Amino acid sequence: MTQPQHKLIGPFKQVVTMAGLPLKGALSDETLPIIEGETGILVSGQHIAQIGKYSDLRKEAGALKAEIHHLDGDYVCLPGFIDAHTHICFHGSRARDYASRNAGKAYLEIAKAGGGIWESVTKTRKASQQILEAGIIQRAGRHLKEGVTTIEIKSGYGLSVTDELKMLRAIKAADKSHPVDFVATCLAAHVKPRDFDGEQEVYLEHICEKLLPLVKKENLANRIDIFIEDSAFSVDAARTYLAKTIEMDFEITIHADQFNPGGSALAVELGAVSADHLEASTEKEITMLAKSDVIPVALPGASIGIGCAFTPGRKLLDAGASLAIASDWNPGSAPMGDLMVQAAILGASEKLSNAEVLAGITCRAAATLQLTDRGKLESGALGDLLAFPCDHYNEIFWHQGKLRPEKVWKNGMVV
Ligand code: NIG
Ligand code: FE
């Protein structure tokens, strides 16, 4: 079925455009760009053509023979949410891990004993590309209903050339068949696989030589991630690896300072697009990040799942850094996969304004993925829109994430 060229969506009581907000620093709600009162959005093809007074656009829509998506009642419009850090390509449960963590075993202790990430690697290796693809589609479908229209997805549970390629091909295939846009990241450097004979440096060289050229050739990902931690990769090994991947023209991002500081300094040194986690960052790392262009990404779902401190979002913003918020949806540390609930909890715990929370899952999340065509509502942006059944944006996070969008449009199509 071909989609009609023009659509008029509305009227909305408020359209919170998120357009023109600064990438870095604290944001008060007074700075939120809001178009108030009976506003319509005219979409042409996949993009927003105009935002304006509903009655005026109604006349234009008539001339254009546009389809009318009329909303009865009070609605607030937000840009589609962007989840800039997930691991939703995996197979199998880690419920036992979760139970033993709650019963007192530490995440790193479980990992050292061969559970944790390695358990998901074992299960993911056994799954076919089609099974992985079905898992992505099922999880992305849930995210889409909850307003997430763009999802970053990492590999990292394959940890061999064959299985990493299988994961990345599953992500690419899912992208073709599902309305949500997926951005793939190669996380072959999640941990050194237990069955690799050699030191971490040798494993990383092996990845560079045998996997990354194929990732390029098949156009599977243009982003590289690495987990820097005692139980994963050292700063020095990561520096050599990432420098090579930059030479190969990949963008880089780092799982940094989750339990121990170290990764974020390397992110700044190498000009990574983002440093994600940062639960263990101290004043020193906060100041360093604030002076750089690296976007800090908070992952409240992992803090909730592990039962540890939240990323110091307030301090980062006050120091002048940016802040994106992502779900980290994965089978181990963050199995919930609910971006709105997690962003709301981070907001309440870290004392973030609604503007800061919203920017974290819209415009600042888009910048994390270097996407300039979304995360805001303005003419030329993608028609990724959410209609929340309320008359003021404050209502949305007052429900702590449980007020869901009643309607979601992706690329101008209602989904
Ligand atoms: O972002 N910290 C490392 N990686 C993931 C967890 C992966 C897992 O436990 O399976 C994270 O939390
Ligand atoms: Fe992660």
Side-chain angles (χ1 to χ4, degrees):
M1 211 175 70
T2 54
Q3 66 162 316
Q5 180 59 9
H6 306 286
K7 276 163 221 149
L8 175 62
I9 304 169
F12 294 102
K13 283 270 169 296
Q14 292 184 323
V15 175
V16 185
T17 69
M18 306 308 287
L21 286 171
L23 177 58
K24 293 175 72 177
L27 296 171
S28 73
D29 284 349
E30 289 67 43
T31 64
L32 269 179
I34 303 173
I35 304 173
E36 305 264 2
E38 303 304 299
T39 303
I41 300 185
L42 187 65
V43 173
S44 287
Q46 304 198 334
H47 296 91
I48 296 172
Q50 266 191 72
I51 306 177
K53 207 167 158 194
Y54 188 74
S55 53
D56 294 348
L57 290 181
R58 189 78 214 214
K59 286 178 210 143
E60 208 160 316
L64 289 167
K65 297 197 173 37
E67 192 176 271
I68 308 290
H69 293 205
H70 185 84
L71 300 169
D72 280 318
D74 293 341
Y75 288 91
V76 171
C77 183
L78 297 183
F81 298 146
I82 297 166
D83 192 350
H85 179 139
T86 84
H87 307 250
I88 61 168
C89 181
F90 64 85
H91 189 64
S93 160
R94 291 255 295 281
R96 218 180 18 192
D97 259 28
Y98 192 82
S100 52
R101 280 208 309 275
N102 287 352
K105 265 222 163 72
Y107 183 77
L108 293 178
E109 205 183 321
I110 293 172
K112 280 190 187 127
I117 292 170
W118 187 246
E119 187 177 340
S120 289
V121 173
T122 314
K123 290 175 173 164
T124 302
R125 281 184 179 178
K126 286 190 186 132
S128 66
Q129 184 187 312
Q130 288 68 29
I131 292 206
L132 294 179
E133 194 183 327
I136 294 170
I137 287 174
Q138 184 253 327
R139 294 174 196 116
R142 215 187 81 193
H143 241 16
L144 183 58
K145 267 198 203 132
E146 295 170 358
V148 182
T149 47
T150 300
I151 308 177
E152 185 264 10
I153 311 179
K154 298 170 197 300
S155 64
Y157 294 122
L159 308 189
S160 70
V161 172
T162 317
D163 293 295
E164 285 291 305
L165 284 175
K166 179 178 70 181
M167 291 189 75
L168 291 167
R169 286 176 185 145
I171 298 165
K172 188 170 179 174
D175 189 40
K176 288 205 177 113
S177 67
H178 198 272
V180 166
D181 288 326
F182 300 129
V183 177
T185 303
C186 179
L187 178 58
H190 203 176
V191 289
K192 180 171 81 78
R194 296 197 143 221
D195 56 357
F196 184 85
D197 192 13
E199 295 299 310
Q200 49 175 305
E201 292 79 4
V202 185
Y203 172 69
L204 294 175
E205 257 169 50
H206 166 74
I207 291 301
C208 263
E209 275 169 30
K210 302 281 188 257
L211 174 66
L212 299 188
L214 296 174
V215 171
K216 276 269 168 205
K217 191 167 157 220
E218 288 188 41
N219 200 12
L220 295 172
N222 62 14
R223 297 163 42 88
I224 298 291
D225 194 350
I226 186 165
F227 183 20
I228 297 181
E229 193 49 64
D230 290 352
S231 64
F233 294 97
S234 69
V235 171
D236 287 340
R239 180 183 289 108
T240 311
Y241 172 64
L242 292 175
K244 282 190 198 148
T245 68
I246 293 169
E247 268 172 34
M248 295 173 83
D249 213 23
F250 284 104
E251 275 166 29
I252 60 168
T253 172
I254 299 181
H255 275 72
D257 304 1
Q258 185 179 11
F259 301 102
N260 299 285
S264 61
L266 188 64
V268 172
E269 180 187 321
L270 296 178
V273 281
S274 73
D276 304 27
H277 273 297
L278 309 175
E279 296 88 336
S281 298
T282 67
E283 298 293 338
K284 183 175 141 215
E285 286 76 33
I286 291 169
T287 309
M288 201 162 33
L289 284 162
K291 284 193 190 139
S292 78
D293 290 330
V294 178
I295 302 179
V297 181
L299 305 169
S303 303
I304 296 164
I306 292 177
C308 70
F310 287 105
T311 303
R314 182 71 269 142
K315 286 188 175 168
L316 280 159
L317 289 163
D318 287 345
S322 187
L323 186 74
I325 304 168
S327 75
D328 198 18
W329 193 350
N330 73 68
S333 59
M336 181 206 291
D338 191 325
L339 184 61
M340 276 198 80
V341 167
Q342 294 165 3
I345 292 172
L346 184 75
S349 309
E350 278 296 306
K351 305 293 165 231
L352 307 181
S353 67
N354 276 329
E356 289 163 338
V357 172
L358 282 174
I361 55 176
T362 59
C363 48
R364 289 175 170 181
T368 305
L369 300 179
Q370 308 223 297
L371 299 170
T372 53
D373 61 353
R374 65 197 75 190
K376 63 196 167 192
L377 302 171
E378 64 185 11
S379 69
L382 279 178
D384 295 357
L385 332 168
L386 313 177
F388 284 90
C390 56
D391 63 4
H392 193 282
Y393 71 87
N394 272 344
E395 299 282 327
I396 297 172
F397 283 108
W398 173 59
H399 288 268
Q400 300 179 299
K402 294 302 275 181
L403 186 77
R404 303 298 186 178
E406 203 172 286
K407 282 207 168 76
V408 177
W409 290 262
K410 171 69 195 138
N411 294 347
M413 292 266 271
V414 71
V415 287

